[in-house]
């Protein structure tokens, strides 16, 4: 006679909900926004259906919609009109991100603003730092510029900065610069284990950030390495990171779990553009049910992420309201 019947606890939705082990809510979610110069621009990004480039004057309607949906946090990516070898628009007082921060804070005090700190969108060569004459990213010289960007974002009103460059020592340099400038309460969410992934493809179009030559394998990580990712996380924690991040998410669930099991610190995971676009396209083509969106996000939470940066934020908000 059977005495162990796990199906007893699957008999209806009430008991299934009661024993559910992994939960996701809008408290866990950060939504990426792409900001461009110009006026009256709300332009869909071709490779990322449902996501847009916004000019500053169109941000108000978007922020109000996000508040209504229950989205509580955004991460900003700026696309300037002018680029140069040192990405000077990234730390300009009236740079695109700085203006966007001020506009969002003017529209709503409810939205928590995180800013991506990097140089690839702002440099004429598309790399994440200052280049040597040989075309190699000069790590230590780049730290000075990254720190200036972080401070300028904090001065504009950013709630948190998130360096994505993968330079050695940038968390320590940034923490020191923020503290010296009086921003001791501004946290750092470090892109700690950021892999040189093929899943960033659609983002390159969205942020106009593809490198003009070469690739980013000298600073982003080899997708084959998990222990290297753990070492990178440890270094960022030692340097003062408040939150560490694994990027991408779905193809690196094992890395998320390893970091979760190793360190007692909040963990973010970036559900990147390629992961988004694959699932979005499959749902639109009828190859997958929309529930695949929720299932994929739950898998990231189940792996150990406390925070998920995802382009599915609006879809998730709607699904949670509909109790899907």
């Amino acid at each position: 006679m059977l005495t162990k019947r796990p199906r007893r606890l699957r008999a209806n939705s009430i008991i299934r909900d009661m024993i559910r082990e992994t939960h996701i809510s809008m408290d866990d979610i950060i939504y990426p926004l792409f900001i461009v110069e110009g006026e009256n621009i709300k332009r869909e990004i071709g490779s990322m259906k449902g996501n847009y480039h916004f000019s500053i004057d169109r941000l108000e309607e978007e922020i109000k919609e996000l508040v209504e949906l229950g989205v509580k946090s955004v991460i900003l990516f700026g696309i300037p009109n002018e680029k140069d070898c040192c990405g000077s628009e990234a730390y300009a007082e009236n740079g695109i991100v700085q203006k966007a921060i001020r506009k969002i804070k003017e529209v709503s005090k409810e939205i928590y603003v995180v800013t991506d700190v990097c140089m690839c969108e702002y440099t004429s060569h598309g790399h994440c730092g200052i280049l040597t004459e040989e075309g190699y990213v000069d790590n230590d010289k780049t730290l000075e510029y990254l720190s200036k960007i972080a401070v300028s974002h904090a001065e504009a009103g950013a709630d948190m900065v998130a360096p994505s460059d993968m330079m050695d020592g940038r968390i320590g340099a940034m923490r020191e610069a923020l503290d010296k400038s009086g921003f001791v309460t501004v946290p750092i969410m470090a892109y700690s284990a950021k892999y040189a992934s093929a899943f960033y493809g659609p983002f390159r179009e969205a942020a106009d950030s593809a490198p003009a030559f070469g690739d980013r394998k000298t600073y982003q990580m080899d997708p084959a390495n998990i222990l290297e990712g753990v070492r990178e996380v440890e270094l960022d924690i030692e340097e003062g990171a408040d939150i560490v991040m694994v990027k991408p998410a779905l193809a690196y669930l094992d890395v998320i779990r390893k970091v979760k099991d190793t360190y007692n610190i909040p963990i973010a995971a970036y559900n990147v553009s390629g992961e988004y676009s694959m699932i979005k396209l499959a749902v639109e083509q009828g190859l997958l049910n929309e529930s695949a969106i929720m299932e994929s996000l739950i898998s990231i939470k189940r792996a150990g992420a406390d925070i998920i940066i995802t382009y599915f934020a609006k879809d998730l908000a709607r699904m949670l309201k509909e109790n899907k």
Side-chain angles (χ1 to χ4, degrees), residues 105-212:
K105 291 300 182 180
E106 175 190 314
V107 173
S108 174
K109 303 298 184 185
E110 298 177 50
I111 294 288
Y112 190 88
V113 179
V114 184
T115 58
D116 179 79
V117 176
C118 197
M119 298 177 67
C120 60
E121 298 105 311
Y122 302 90
T123 55
S124 51
H125 46 73
H127 281 283
C128 301
I130 304 299
L131 296 185
T132 65
E133 291 183 2
E134 296 75 27
Y136 187 80
V137 176
D138 186 322
N139 189 96
D140 295 2
K141 188 175 290 186
T142 298
L143 300 185
E144 174 188 344
Y145 287 85
L146 292 170
S147 297
K148 288 169 65 174
I149 297 168
V151 170
S152 75
H153 288 180
E155 288 173 340
D159 296 297
M160 178 186 288
V161 294
S164 61
D165 54 284
M166 288 299 288
M167 296 298 117
D168 296 338
R170 88 265 202 222
I171 303 304
M174 206 169 290
R175 184 72 271 162
E176 182 179 2
L178 287 167
D179 291 353
K180 284 183 176 179
S181 300
F183 297 108
V184 295
T185 61
V186 173
I188 298 174
M189 177 169 63
Y191 288 62
S192 298
K194 181 179 179 180
Y195 289 85
S197 172
F199 287 97
Y200 303 149
F203 178 90
R204 302 275 163 78
E205 176 194 344
D208 188 26
S209 62

Side-chain angles (χ1 to χ4, degrees), residues 16-252:
R16 289 194 298 270
D17 289 347
M18 191 180 297
I19 67 164
R20 178 164 293 152
E21 299 171 26
T22 306
H23 297 269
I24 190 167
S25 77
M26 296 312 296
D27 294 338
D28 312 322
I29 301 301
I30 300 175
Y31 182 49
L33 286 177
F34 296 93
I35 318 300
V36 297
E37 298 282 8
E39 296 181 355
N40 197 30
I41 297 172
K42 182 182 178 180
R43 181 175 59 239
E44 188 169 43
I45 300 165
S47 59
M48 296 172 63
K49 299 293 185 181
N51 287 267
Y52 298 83
H53 288 128
F54 292 97
S55 55
I56 301 293
D57 60 317
R58 295 295 298 271
L59 269 178
E60 182 170 355
E61 61 188 272
E62 177 70 2
I63 294 303
K64 287 181 176 179
E65 180 185 350
L66 293 177
V67 170
E68 185 176 340
L69 283 169
V71 177
K72 299 180 179 182
S73 182
V74 297
I75 183 168
L76 303 182
F77 297 90
I79 300 95
N81 277 344
E82 302 294 330
K83 304 187 179 193
D84 57 30
C85 64
C86 63
S88 60
E89 281 296 302
Y91 51 86
E93 181 179 355
N94 285 312
I96 186 64
V97 164
Q98 289 81 353
K99 290 187 290 187
I101 297 167
R102 292 192 288 266
K103 181 64 176 180
I104 292 171
K105 291 300 182 180
E106 175 190 314
V107 173
S108 174
K109 303 298 184 185
E110 298 177 50
I111 294 288
Y112 190 88
V113 179
V114 184
T115 58
D116 179 79
V117 176
C118 197
M119 298 177 67
C120 60
E121 298 105 311
Y122 302 90
T123 55
S124 51
H125 46 73
H127 281 283
C128 301
I130 304 299
L131 296 185
T132 65
E133 291 183 2
E134 296 75 27
Y136 187 80
V137 176
D138 186 322
N139 189 96
D140 295 2
K141 188 175 290 186
T142 298
L143 300 185
E144 174 188 344
Y145 287 85
L146 292 170
S147 297
K148 288 169 65 174
I149 297 168
V151 170
S152 75
H153 288 180
E155 288 173 340
D159 296 297
M160 178 186 288
V161 294
S164 61
D165 54 284
M166 288 299 288
M167 296 298 117
D168 296 338
R170 88 265 202 222
I171 303 304
M174 206 169 290
R175 184 72 271 162
E176 182 179 2
L178 287 167
D179 291 353
K180 284 183 176 179
S181 300
F183 297 108
V184 295
T185 61
V186 173
I188 298 174
M189 177 169 63
Y191 288 62
S192 298
K194 181 179 179 180
Y195 289 85
S197 172
F199 287 97
Y200 303 149
F203 178 90
R204 302 275 163 78
E205 176 194 344
D208 188 26
S209 62
F213 63 90
D215 54 42
R216 296 179 176 143
K217 293 181 180 180
T218 64
Y219 41 102
Q220 294 179 3
M221 290 173 44
D222 185 339
N225 296 349
I226 185 169
L227 295 180
E228 182 184 9
V230 173
R231 292 196 296 272
E232 288 279 10
V233 167
E234 184 169 356
L235 287 170
D236 285 354
I237 293 172
E238 289 175 354
E239 291 176 23
D242 300 283
I243 300 170
V244 295
M245 186 197 302
V246 176
K247 181 182 180 183
L250 291 176
Y252 296 84

